[in-house]
Amino acid sequence: MALVDAVTSEIGDEALLDLPAVDILARFQDGSLSPVDYMTALISRVERREPKVCALWDFRPEDSLAAARLSESRWQKGAPLGPLDGMPVSLKELLATKGDPIPNGTAASDMIPATEDAPASARLREDGAIFFAKTTCPDFGMLSSGLSTFHKLSRNPWDLSTNPGGSSAGAGSAGAAGYGPLHIGTDIGGSVRLPAGWTGLFGFKATQGRVPAYPYYPGRCIGPMTRTVEDSVLLMKSLSRPDWRDATSLPPMAESWDVAPMDLKGKRVGLMLDAGCGLDVDADVRDAVAEAARWFEAQGAEIIEINGLLTRTMLDGLDDFWRARFWTTMVSFDAERRAKVLPYILEWASAAADLSGARVSAGFDQMLAIRQAAAEALCGVDLLLSPVNPIVSYPAELPSPTNDPARPFEHIAFTMPFNMGDQPACSINCGFSQSGMPIGLQIVAPRFADTAVLAAALAYEQARGPITNWPEI
């Protein structure tokens, strides 16, 4: 029996597919596993589970197998293309890949093929990643939901009647369903962390500009969604390399992305259990986050209670500005094209038609006020802990937890401030609700302290232990 066959037989395809990427790549390197065998197993799992989960768009099994054969040959020659050679990676469909259209989650898309890779796509391709599929998002990425007029309804594998969150909905669903270990999302108000929290994944949003983004927009970040912290660190080594197209991107980090578990003794750790406004926090969520804080305290950290930093004026101002900006896109569409947009989003945006220029400008000022409040919350602490999502779950068919376009952002009050403030933040699973749904703990650090978030998350993950009850759809 060949060595590759022996390894696959020894642990089985299903167990193989649940291994972290760092382990899979080590097997590619030592020759004990072929990228072709791994891709074949992955395709089989996707084909079995995807009809229920609906996480993917543009799934390309034949192209992926052809790419895996080329990778296998390179590994056999000892000449891999890069550190991710042969590793399947899914990309949120908002991220451009040359020659492919960008649906933007909407039936109103023009479906014009992209002329170049986005920065994240380019870096991963350079390092040998295989883009086996894109993952779904809602219309224009404007919802924390798996609901879209272009894609099938994406569902949460932990309970198919519930929502994975969004807007990186498909990435969250794909990660929890075990479609390989590496997935890339985007985050402008929590769109990596929210679905990561609801699906049990680790999701990381770096300091603004750490991962080059194009097109750029204030608060917009690209980040990994994985089952382990170590796999997100692996992806950050590729994603964080510079790209001139993002005029706001930061210089490459002087320190290494190789992180060790943080020694928490003497660390000042803020605990924010109330965002200041938005949805009330479910008891299960509050209890899980408070228990995580007690673990940090037991490791020698000083826990400092922090009041909610967001006000109703801030959240409503952000809502005004985002509505107005999106409405400028809607008014450029003719009536036929506009009618294809999800009604919830169209109703939300159309309210901007009656907003004065002064009110929109005041909304932008509130975005700046959120930035200042986020900086103040991190002043004097090494880390900040909070819930990611205030609620345990909500129905898959809803566009948002409130299902109310007049109150669309009540659920992002814990996550969005750190997009506006540019701070690095993550979601890491800190337990399960009484109904069995994952709960996310948000760990935030001051600007530029990206590795502090990862190191703290790694320490917590090692103490928590691996999640062993991933859904088997």
Side-chain angles (χ1 to χ4, degrees), residues 162-222:
T162 66
N163 213 297
S167 62
S168 303
S173 296
Y179 295 179
L182 303 180
H183 308 276
I184 309 297
T186 68
D187 188 320
I188 197 172
S191 290
V192 161
R193 288 157 290 155
L194 295 167
W198 272 314
T199 60
L201 300 180
F202 178 76
F204 181 59
K205 180 203 83 70
T207 299
Q208 182 77 46
R210 185 71 72 201
V211 176
Y214 182 78
Y216 164 79
Y217 188 71
R220 183 172 186 254
C221 299
I222 288 86

Short mmCIF file of all heavy atoms in Angstrom, two decimals, residues 162-222:
data_model
loop_
_atom_site.label_atom_id
_atom_site.label_comp_id
_atom_site.label_asym_id
_atom_site.label_seq_id
_atom_site.Cartn_x
_atom_site.Cartn_y
_atom_site.Cartn_z
N THR A 162 -31.32 28.00 11.38
CA THR A 162 -30.82 29.28 11.87
C THR A 162 -29.85 29.91 10.88
O THR A 162 -29.33 29.28 9.97
CB THR A 162 -30.13 29.13 13.24
OG1 THR A 162 -28.94 28.34 13.08
CG2 THR A 162 -31.05 28.48 14.24
N ASN A 163 -29.59 31.19 11.12
CA ASN A 163 -28.78 32.03 10.25
C ASN A 163 -27.30 31.90 10.61
O ASN A 163 -26.95 31.89 11.79
CB ASN A 163 -29.22 33.48 10.43
CG ASN A 163 -29.10 34.29 9.17
OD1 ASN A 163 -28.01 34.47 8.65
ND2 ASN A 163 -30.23 34.78 8.67
N PRO A 164 -26.41 31.84 9.61
CA PRO A 164 -24.97 31.88 9.93
C PRO A 164 -24.47 33.27 10.24
O PRO A 164 -23.32 33.43 10.68
CB PRO A 164 -24.33 31.36 8.64
CG PRO A 164 -25.27 31.80 7.56
CD PRO A 164 -26.65 31.70 8.17
N GLY A 165 -25.31 34.30 10.02
CA GLY A 165 -24.82 35.67 10.14
C GLY A 165 -24.13 36.07 8.86
O GLY A 165 -24.06 35.33 7.89
N GLY A 166 -23.58 37.27 8.85
CA GLY A 166 -22.92 37.77 7.65
C GLY A 166 -22.21 39.07 7.93
O GLY A 166 -22.08 39.47 9.09
N SER A 167 -21.73 39.72 6.89
CA SER A 167 -22.05 39.34 5.53
C SER A 167 -21.21 38.20 4.98
O SER A 167 -21.46 37.70 3.88
CB SER A 167 -21.91 40.56 4.61
OG SER A 167 -20.58 41.04 4.59
N SER A 168 -20.18 37.75 5.72
CA SER A 168 -19.39 36.60 5.28
C SER A 168 -20.13 35.32 5.65
O SER A 168 -19.60 34.44 6.34
CB SER A 168 -17.99 36.64 5.91
OG SER A 168 -17.32 37.84 5.61
N ALA A 169 -21.36 35.22 5.16
CA ALA A 169 -22.25 34.14 5.56
C ALA A 169 -21.74 32.79 5.08
O ALA A 169 -21.65 31.84 5.86
CB ALA A 169 -23.65 34.41 5.01
N GLY A 170 -21.43 32.71 3.79
CA GLY A 170 -20.98 31.44 3.24
C GLY A 170 -19.68 30.98 3.85
O GLY A 170 -19.47 29.77 4.04
N ALA A 171 -18.79 31.91 4.16
CA ALA A 171 -17.52 31.53 4.78
C ALA A 171 -17.75 30.90 6.15
O ALA A 171 -17.11 29.90 6.50
CB ALA A 171 -16.61 32.75 4.90
N GLY A 172 -18.65 31.48 6.93
CA GLY A 172 -18.97 30.89 8.22
C GLY A 172 -19.59 29.51 8.08
O GLY A 172 -19.22 28.57 8.78
N SER A 173 -20.55 29.39 7.16
CA SER A 173 -21.21 28.10 6.93
C SER A 173 -20.22 27.06 6.44
O SER A 173 -20.22 25.91 6.88
CB SER A 173 -22.35 28.26 5.92
OG SER A 173 -23.36 29.11 6.42
N ALA A 174 -19.34 27.46 5.49
CA ALA A 174 -18.37 26.52 4.92
C ALA A 174 -17.38 26.05 5.98
O ALA A 174 -17.03 24.86 6.04
CB ALA A 174 -17.63 27.19 3.76
N GLY A 175 -16.93 26.96 6.83
CA GLY A 175 -15.98 26.58 7.87
C GLY A 175 -16.58 25.62 8.87
O GLY A 175 -15.95 24.63 9.26
N ALA A 176 -17.81 25.89 9.30
CA ALA A 176 -18.46 25.01 10.26
C ALA A 176 -18.83 23.66 9.64
O ALA A 176 -18.85 22.64 10.33
CB ALA A 176 -19.71 25.68 10.83
N ALA A 177 -19.13 23.66 8.33
CA ALA A 177 -19.48 22.42 7.64
C ALA A 177 -18.25 21.58 7.29
O ALA A 177 -18.40 20.45 6.81
CB ALA A 177 -20.27 22.73 6.37
N GLY A 178 -17.06 22.13 7.49
CA GLY A 178 -15.84 21.37 7.25
C GLY A 178 -15.41 21.33 5.80
O GLY A 178 -14.81 20.35 5.35
N TYR A 179 -15.66 22.42 5.06
CA TYR A 179 -15.22 22.50 3.67
C TYR A 179 -13.76 22.95 3.63
O TYR A 179 -13.41 24.00 3.09
CB TYR A 179 -16.07 23.50 2.89
CG TYR A 179 -17.53 23.16 2.72
CD1 TYR A 179 -18.39 24.03 2.05
CD2 TYR A 179 -18.07 21.97 3.23
CE1 TYR A 179 -19.72 23.73 1.87
CE2 TYR A 179 -19.41 21.68 3.07
CZ TYR A 179 -20.24 22.56 2.39
OH TYR A 179 -21.58 22.27 2.23
N GLY A 180 -12.88 22.19 4.23
CA GLY A 180 -11.50 22.59 4.37
C GLY A 180 -11.35 23.57 5.52
O GLY A 180 -12.32 24.12 6.04
N PRO A 181 -10.10 23.84 5.93
CA PRO A 181 -9.87 24.66 7.13
C PRO A 181 -9.71 26.15 6.88
O PRO A 181 -9.71 26.91 7.84
CB PRO A 181 -8.57 24.08 7.68
CG PRO A 181 -7.85 23.53 6.49
CD PRO A 181 -8.90 23.09 5.52
N LEU A 182 -9.57 26.60 5.62
CA LEU A 182 -9.18 28.00 5.37
C LEU A 182 -10.24 28.74 4.55
O LEU A 182 -10.56 28.36 3.42
CB LEU A 182 -7.85 28.04 4.62
CG LEU A 182 -6.66 27.34 5.28
CD1 LEU A 182 -5.42 27.48 4.41
CD2 LEU A 182 -6.41 27.88 6.68
N HIS A 183 -10.73 29.85 5.13
CA HIS A 183 -11.77 30.64 4.47
C HIS A 183 -11.47 32.12 4.71
O HIS A 183 -10.99 32.50 5.78
CB HIS A 183 -13.14 30.26 5.01
CG HIS A 183 -13.39 28.78 4.95
ND1 HIS A 183 -13.85 28.16 3.82
CD2 HIS A 183 -13.16 27.79 5.86
CE1 HIS A 183 -13.92 26.85 4.03
NE2 HIS A 183 -13.50 26.61 5.27
N ILE A 184 -11.79 32.94 3.72
CA ILE A 184 -11.50 34.38 3.79
C ILE A 184 -12.80 35.16 3.70
O ILE A 184 -13.60 34.97 2.78
CB ILE A 184 -10.56 34.82 2.64
CG1 ILE A 184 -9.33 33.92 2.56
CG2 ILE A 184 -10.17 36.29 2.83
CD1 ILE A 184 -8.43 33.96 3.76
N GLY A 185 -13.01 36.07 4.65
CA GLY A 185 -14.18 36.94 4.64
C GLY A 185 -13.78 38.39 4.61
O GLY A 185 -12.58 38.74 4.58
N THR A 186 -14.77 39.26 4.59
CA THR A 186 -14.53 40.70 4.70
C THR A 186 -15.39 41.24 5.84
O THR A 186 -16.41 40.65 6.20
CB THR A 186 -14.86 41.44 3.39
OG1 THR A 186 -16.28 41.41 3.15
CG2 THR A 186 -14.14 40.82 2.21
N ASP A 187 -14.98 42.36 6.39
CA ASP A 187 -15.55 42.85 7.66
C ASP A 187 -15.53 44.37 7.66
O ASP A 187 -14.46 44.98 7.62
CB ASP A 187 -14.71 42.29 8.81
CG ASP A 187 -15.29 42.56 10.19
OD1 ASP A 187 -15.79 43.67 10.42
OD2 ASP A 187 -15.22 41.65 11.03
N ILE A 188 -16.75 44.99 7.69
CA ILE A 188 -16.81 46.44 7.78
C ILE A 188 -17.57 46.89 9.03
O ILE A 188 -17.51 48.05 9.42
CB ILE A 188 -17.44 47.05 6.51
CG1 ILE A 188 -17.14 48.54 6.40
CG2 ILE A 188 -18.95 46.79 6.48
CD1 ILE A 188 -17.55 49.16 5.09
N GLY A 189 -18.29 45.96 9.66
CA GLY A 189 -18.97 46.27 10.91
C GLY A 189 -19.04 45.05 11.81
O GLY A 189 -19.74 45.07 12.83
N GLY A 190 -18.35 44.00 11.37
CA GLY A 190 -18.37 42.74 12.11
C GLY A 190 -18.55 41.53 11.23
O GLY A 190 -18.78 40.42 11.71
N SER A 191 -18.44 41.72 9.92
CA SER A 191 -18.85 40.68 8.96
C SER A 191 -17.94 39.47 8.89
O SER A 191 -18.28 38.49 8.23
CB SER A 191 -19.00 41.29 7.56
OG SER A 191 -20.10 42.15 7.51
N VAL A 192 -16.76 39.50 9.53
CA VAL A 192 -15.97 38.30 9.77
C VAL A 192 -16.32 37.74 11.16
O VAL A 192 -16.59 36.55 11.33
CB VAL A 192 -14.47 38.58 9.67
CG1 VAL A 192 -13.64 37.51 10.37
CG2 VAL A 192 -14.04 38.68 8.21
N ARG A 193 -16.34 38.60 12.17
CA ARG A 193 -16.52 38.15 13.55
C ARG A 193 -17.94 37.67 13.84
O ARG A 193 -18.14 36.70 14.58
CB ARG A 193 -16.14 39.28 14.51
CG ARG A 193 -14.64 39.56 14.58
CD ARG A 193 -14.35 40.96 15.06
NE ARG A 193 -14.73 41.95 14.05
CZ ARG A 193 -15.04 43.20 14.30
NH1 ARG A 193 -15.04 43.65 15.56
NH2 ARG A 193 -15.35 44.03 13.32
N LEU A 194 -18.95 38.34 13.28
CA LEU A 194 -20.34 37.94 13.56
C LEU A 194 -20.63 36.51 13.10
O LEU A 194 -21.07 35.69 13.91
CB LEU A 194 -21.31 38.93 12.91
CG LEU A 194 -21.27 40.37 13.45
CD1 LEU A 194 -22.02 41.30 12.52
CD2 LEU A 194 -21.87 40.44 14.85
N PRO A 195 -20.38 36.17 11.83
CA PRO A 195 -20.62 34.77 11.44
C PRO A 195 -19.66 33.79 12.11
O PRO A 195 -20.04 32.65 12.39
CB PRO A 195 -20.46 34.78 9.92
CG PRO A 195 -19.66 36.01 9.61
CD PRO A 195 -20.03 37.00 10.67
N ALA A 196 -18.43 34.22 12.38
CA ALA A 196 -17.52 33.34 13.11
C ALA A 196 -18.10 33.01 14.48
O ALA A 196 -18.06 31.85 14.93
CB ALA A 196 -16.14 33.99 13.26
N GLY A 197 -18.64 34.00 15.16
CA GLY A 197 -19.24 33.77 16.46
C GLY A 197 -20.42 32.83 16.40
O GLY A 197 -20.57 31.94 17.25
N TRP A 198 -21.28 33.01 15.41
CA TRP A 198 -22.49 32.20 15.30
C TRP A 198 -22.20 30.79 14.78
O TRP A 198 -23.05 29.92 14.88
CB TRP A 198 -23.51 32.88 14.41
CG TRP A 198 -24.41 33.83 15.15
CD1 TRP A 198 -25.06 33.61 16.33
CD2 TRP A 198 -24.78 35.16 14.76
NE1 TRP A 198 -25.81 34.71 16.70
CE2 TRP A 198 -25.66 35.68 15.74
CE3 TRP A 198 -24.47 35.97 13.66
CZ2 TRP A 198 -26.22 36.95 15.66
CZ3 TRP A 198 -25.04 37.24 13.58
CH2 TRP A 198 -25.91 37.72 14.58
N THR A 199 -21.03 30.56 14.18
CA THR A 199 -20.73 29.24 13.63
C THR A 199 -19.57 28.54 14.34
O THR A 199 -19.15 27.47 13.92
CB THR A 199 -20.42 29.32 12.13
OG1 THR A 199 -19.29 30.18 11.91
CG2 THR A 199 -21.62 29.84 11.34
N GLY A 200 -19.02 29.13 15.40
CA GLY A 200 -18.00 28.47 16.20
C GLY A 200 -16.59 28.62 15.69
O GLY A 200 -15.66 28.00 16.22
N LEU A 201 -16.38 29.45 14.66
CA LEU A 201 -15.05 29.61 14.07
C LEU A 201 -14.23 30.66 14.82
O LEU A 201 -14.75 31.43 15.63
CB LEU A 201 -15.17 30.03 12.60
CG LEU A 201 -15.91 29.08 11.67
CD1 LEU A 201 -15.92 29.66 10.26
CD2 LEU A 201 -15.29 27.69 11.67
N PHE A 202 -12.94 30.69 14.50
CA PHE A 202 -12.09 31.81 14.89
C PHE A 202 -12.06 32.77 13.71
O PHE A 202 -11.73 32.39 12.58
CB PHE A 202 -10.68 31.34 15.21
CG PHE A 202 -9.75 32.47 15.58
CD1 PHE A 202 -9.82 33.05 16.83
CD2 PHE A 202 -8.83 32.96 14.66
CE1 PHE A 202 -8.98 34.11 17.17
CE2 PHE A 202 -7.98 34.00 14.99
CZ PHE A 202 -8.06 34.58 16.25
N GLY A 203 -12.43 34.02 13.95
CA GLY A 203 -12.40 35.04 12.90
C GLY A 203 -11.57 36.22 13.35
O GLY A 203 -11.74 36.69 14.49
N PHE A 204 -10.72 36.71 12.48
CA PHE A 204 -9.77 37.76 12.87
C PHE A 204 -9.88 38.96 11.93
O PHE A 204 -9.81 38.82 10.71
CB PHE A 204 -8.34 37.22 12.85
CG PHE A 204 -7.29 38.22 13.24
CD1 PHE A 204 -7.33 38.84 14.48
CD2 PHE A 204 -6.26 38.53 12.37
CE1 PHE A 204 -6.37 39.76 14.85
CE2 PHE A 204 -5.28 39.46 12.73
CZ PHE A 204 -5.33 40.07 13.98
N LYS A 205 -10.06 40.14 12.53
CA LYS A 205 -10.00 41.42 11.82
C LYS A 205 -8.78 42.16 12.31
O LYS A 205 -8.71 42.55 13.48
CB LYS A 205 -11.26 42.24 12.10
CG LYS A 205 -11.27 43.60 11.39
CD LYS A 205 -12.18 44.60 12.05
CE LYS A 205 -11.55 45.30 13.23
NZ LYS A 205 -10.47 46.24 12.86
N ALA A 206 -7.80 42.34 11.44
CA ALA A 206 -6.56 42.99 11.84
C ALA A 206 -6.74 44.51 11.94
O ALA A 206 -7.79 45.06 11.60
CB ALA A 206 -5.46 42.66 10.83
N THR A 207 -5.71 45.17 12.43
CA THR A 207 -5.68 46.64 12.38
C THR A 207 -5.96 47.10 10.96
O THR A 207 -5.45 46.52 9.99
CB THR A 207 -4.30 47.15 12.81
OG1 THR A 207 -4.04 46.75 14.16
CG2 THR A 207 -4.21 48.67 12.72
N GLN A 208 -6.79 48.14 10.84
CA GLN A 208 -7.10 48.66 9.50
C GLN A 208 -5.83 48.93 8.71
O GLN A 208 -4.90 49.58 9.20
CB GLN A 208 -7.88 49.97 9.64
CG GLN A 208 -8.30 50.59 8.32
CD GLN A 208 -9.48 49.88 7.72
OE1 GLN A 208 -10.43 49.59 8.43
NE2 GLN A 208 -9.43 49.58 6.45
N GLY A 209 -5.75 48.39 7.50
CA GLY A 209 -4.59 48.58 6.64
C GLY A 209 -3.54 47.49 6.76
O GLY A 209 -2.61 47.44 5.96
N ARG A 210 -3.69 46.61 7.76
CA ARG A 210 -2.71 45.53 7.92
C ARG A 210 -2.82 44.55 6.76
O ARG A 210 -1.83 44.01 6.28
CB ARG A 210 -2.94 44.81 9.25
CG ARG A 210 -1.91 43.75 9.57
CD ARG A 210 -0.56 44.35 9.90
NE ARG A 210 -0.55 45.02 11.20
CZ ARG A 210 0.34 45.94 11.54
NH1 ARG A 210 1.26 46.33 10.67
NH2 ARG A 210 0.31 46.51 12.73
N VAL A 211 -4.06 44.29 6.32
CA VAL A 211 -4.31 43.47 5.13
C VAL A 211 -4.79 44.41 4.04
O VAL A 211 -5.87 44.99 4.15
CB VAL A 211 -5.36 42.38 5.41
CG1 VAL A 211 -5.68 41.61 4.13
CG2 VAL A 211 -4.87 41.43 6.50
N PRO A 212 -4.01 44.61 2.98
CA PRO A 212 -4.43 45.54 1.93
C PRO A 212 -5.79 45.16 1.35
O PRO A 212 -6.07 43.98 1.11
CB PRO A 212 -3.32 45.41 0.89
CG PRO A 212 -2.13 44.97 1.66
CD PRO A 212 -2.67 44.06 2.73
N ALA A 213 -6.63 46.17 1.16
CA ALA A 213 -7.97 45.97 0.60
C ALA A 213 -8.15 46.88 -0.60
O ALA A 213 -7.72 48.04 -0.59
CB ALA A 213 -9.03 46.27 1.66
N TYR A 214 -8.79 46.35 -1.62
CA TYR A 214 -9.12 47.17 -2.79
C TYR A 214 -10.39 46.61 -3.41
O TYR A 214 -10.44 45.42 -3.70
CB TYR A 214 -7.97 47.15 -3.81
CG TYR A 214 -8.25 48.01 -5.03
CD1 TYR A 214 -8.09 49.39 -4.96
CD2 TYR A 214 -8.68 47.45 -6.22
CE1 TYR A 214 -8.35 50.19 -6.06
CE2 TYR A 214 -8.94 48.25 -7.32
CZ TYR A 214 -8.78 49.61 -7.24
OH TYR A 214 -9.05 50.42 -8.33
N PRO A 215 -11.45 47.42 -3.59
CA PRO A 215 -11.48 48.83 -3.26
C PRO A 215 -11.53 49.08 -1.75
O PRO A 215 -12.10 48.28 -1.00
CB PRO A 215 -12.77 49.32 -3.92
CG PRO A 215 -13.62 48.10 -4.01
CD PRO A 215 -12.71 46.95 -4.21
N TYR A 216 -10.92 50.18 -1.34
CA TYR A 216 -10.84 50.57 0.07
C TYR A 216 -12.10 51.33 0.48
O TYR A 216 -12.68 52.07 -0.30
CB TYR A 216 -9.61 51.44 0.31
CG TYR A 216 -9.67 52.18 1.63
CD1 TYR A 216 -9.37 51.53 2.82
CD2 TYR A 216 -10.07 53.51 1.69
CE1 TYR A 216 -9.46 52.18 4.03
CE2 TYR A 216 -10.15 54.17 2.90
CZ TYR A 216 -9.84 53.50 4.07
OH TYR A 216 -9.93 54.14 5.27
N TYR A 217 -12.50 51.15 1.73
CA TYR A 217 -13.54 51.98 2.34
C TYR A 217 -13.26 52.01 3.84
O TYR A 217 -12.80 51.00 4.40
CB TYR A 217 -14.94 51.41 2.07
CG TYR A 217 -16.04 52.33 2.53
CD1 TYR A 217 -16.29 53.52 1.85
CD2 TYR A 217 -16.79 52.03 3.65
CE1 TYR A 217 -17.29 54.38 2.28
CE2 TYR A 217 -17.79 52.88 4.09
CZ TYR A 217 -18.03 54.05 3.39
OH TYR A 217 -19.01 54.91 3.83
N PRO A 218 -13.52 53.13 4.53
CA PRO A 218 -13.23 53.20 5.97
C PRO A 218 -13.86 52.04 6.73
O PRO A 218 -15.05 51.78 6.63
CB PRO A 218 -13.84 54.54 6.38
CG PRO A 218 -13.76 55.38 5.14
CD PRO A 218 -14.01 54.43 4.01
N GLY A 219 -13.03 51.35 7.48
CA GLY A 219 -13.49 50.23 8.28
C GLY A 219 -13.46 48.89 7.59
O GLY A 219 -13.61 47.84 8.23
N ARG A 220 -13.28 48.87 6.28
CA ARG A 220 -13.35 47.59 5.54
C ARG A 220 -12.05 46.81 5.70
O ARG A 220 -10.97 47.32 5.41
CB ARG A 220 -13.63 47.84 4.06
CG ARG A 220 -13.78 46.55 3.25
CD ARG A 220 -14.25 46.83 1.84
NE ARG A 220 -14.52 45.59 1.13
CZ ARG A 220 -13.74 45.09 0.18
NH1 ARG A 220 -12.63 45.72 -0.17
NH2 ARG A 220 -14.06 43.97 -0.42
N CYS A 221 -12.17 45.57 6.15
CA CYS A 221 -11.02 44.71 6.37
C CYS A 221 -11.27 43.35 5.73
O CYS A 221 -12.41 42.93 5.56
CB CYS A 221 -10.77 44.51 7.87
SG CYS A 221 -10.41 46.02 8.78
N ILE A 222 -10.20 42.67 5.39
CA ILE A 222 -10.25 41.29 4.90
C ILE A 222 -9.59 40.43 5.95
O ILE A 222 -8.53 40.78 6.47
CB ILE A 222 -9.54 41.15 3.54
CG1 ILE A 222 -10.35 41.82 2.43
CG2 ILE A 222 -9.34 39.69 3.17
CD1 ILE A 222 -10.09 43.27 2.25
#
